[in-house]
């Protein structure tokens, strides 16, 4: 199944902690007229280095969706969903850089699903 882009942008901003500067990653949007901010993280702690590479010097990258279906053999139930990623292209070479991401909390997952409707 191919990656899809829904025109949603993942952004990042800096914050300071213990005298060091870090990035936080998020998606902004509106749900029923209310401004929301969905926190995004890499699937593991080492993924922050990969995210830094994907974003490069930019503060935005595109969200990608990869649909999946899993069939539970015992119940026959089909579970559908999306895996998420962030993608950018190098402006000089055109090379594509990608990294998997996930919503930080269950509430972020719920908000992201609302934004994607």
């Amino acid at each position: 199944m191919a990656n899809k882009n829904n025109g949603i942008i993942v952004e990042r901003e800096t914050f300071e902690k213990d005298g060091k500067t870090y990035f936080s990653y998020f998606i902004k949007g509106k749900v029923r007229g209310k401004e929301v901010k969905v926190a995004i993280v890499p699937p593991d702690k080492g993924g922050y280095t990969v995210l830094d590479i994907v974003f490069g010097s930019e503060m935005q990258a595109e969200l990608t969706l990869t649909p999946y279906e899993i069939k539970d053999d015992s119940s026959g139930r089909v579970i559908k969903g999306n895996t998420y990623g962030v993608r950018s292209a190098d402006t000089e070479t055109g090379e594509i850089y990608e990294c998997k991401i996930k919503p930080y909390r269950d509430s972020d997952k719920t908000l992201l699903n609302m934004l994607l409707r």
Side-chain angles (χ1 to χ4, degrees), residues 22-43:
Y22 300 95
F23 286 108
S24 64
Y25 298 86
F26 57 90
I27 297 169
K28 288 182 182 177
K30 260 189 183 179
V31 177
R32 294 185 120 187
K34 182 172 179 67
E35 296 286 334
V36 296
K37 190 173 181 179
V38 180
I40 297 296
V41 295

Side-chain angles (χ1 to χ4, degrees), residues 110 112-117:
T110 301
L112 182 55
N113 285 333
M114 289 177 183
L115 285 173
L116 293 173
R117 289 186 192 155

Side-chain angles (χ1 to χ4, degrees), residues 37-107:
K37 190 173 181 179
V38 180
I40 297 296
V41 295
D44 56 51
K45 195 172 186 176
Y48 285 102
T49 300
V50 181
L51 276 175
D52 286 343
I53 292 168
V54 171
F55 275 80
S57 61
E58 301 298 319
M59 297 302 280
Q60 297 182 340
E62 68 179 289
L63 176 73
T64 61
L65 305 173
T66 304
Y68 68 84
E69 286 186 14
I70 300 171
K71 184 176 181 180
D72 181 353
D73 291 333
S74 61
S75 68
R77 187 172 150 227
V78 175
I79 301 166
K80 295 180 182 183
N82 292 303
T83 57
Y84 306 103
V86 62
R87 175 175 43 204
S88 69
D90 185 289
T91 54
E92 292 178 17
T93 66
E95 188 171 348
I96 302 293
Y97 294 94
E98 294 183 82
C99 177
K100 288 185 179 182
I101 57 172
K102 65 180 185 176
Y104 180 57
R105 298 173 293 261
D106 282 342
S107 58

